Amino acid sequence: MAVLKKIRASTLMETLVATVLIVVVFMGASMVLNQLFASSMHFNDNLIRQELLQLQYQHEHGQLQLPYHTELGQWTVTVSEMEEKWALQTYFEATHQSGEKKIVFKK
């Protein structure tokens, strides 16, 4: 019977306090991860950049009539030509409706 040693057990109050602390830590971590994920989704502009590259390709191959204007989700996309320093420049521009972000490609 040497195997059955008496093990000191914790009280119910200690167990409840430890459980509450663990829950609070996991809730805090969950909130931080949720905020990181939401901000990465908010600032993700890969689709609009892909659209601008596709418009550049269409312009290079004569398939795009200028001036071009469209809306893609919350983005306003415009393609226009302006004369700059004796040369004609083509601007591919996407502006977020909130005005926070603007992406411009110049060709």
Side-chain angles (χ1 to χ4, degrees), residues 47-97:
L47 289 176
I48 197 67
R49 287 184 184 276
Q50 182 180 1
E51 179 70 20
L52 289 175
L53 290 174
Q54 183 178 3
L55 290 173
Q56 282 182 352
Y57 178 83
Q58 289 176 353
H59 177 66
E60 287 177 3
H61 292 85
Q63 299 173 352
L64 186 67
Q65 294 181 358
L66 298 181
Y68 178 83
H69 178 80
T70 189
E71 291 189 12
L72 184 64
Q74 294 183 344
W75 292 86
T76 303
V77 179
T78 57
V79 180
S80 59
E81 286 184 334
M82 293 182 194
E83 190 168 329
E84 194 174 285
K85 294 184 181 179
W86 308 104
L88 203 58
Q89 294 284 329
T90 306
Y91 286 92
F92 300 86
E93 182 177 308
T95 307
H96 198 269
Q97 289 178 352

Side-chain angles (χ1 to χ4, degrees), residues 7-65:
I7 300 174
R8 183 172 178 257
S10 59
T11 64
L12 181 61
M13 187 57 92
E14 290 172 341
T15 306
L16 288 175
V17 168
T19 304
V20 168
L21 288 175
I22 289 172
V23 168
V24 167
V25 167
F26 278 113
M27 276 182 26
S30 173
M31 290 170 52
V32 167
L33 288 175
N34 189 24
Q35 184 64 29
L36 286 172
F37 180 71
S39 67
S40 71
M41 293 302 290
H42 177 71
F43 293 111
N44 188 1
D45 59 1
N46 290 339
L47 289 176
I48 197 67
R49 287 184 184 276
Q50 182 180 1
E51 179 70 20
L52 289 175
L53 290 174
Q54 183 178 3
L55 290 173
Q56 282 182 352
Y57 178 83
Q58 289 176 353
H59 177 66
E60 287 177 3
H61 292 85
Q63 299 173 352
L64 186 67
Q65 294 181 358

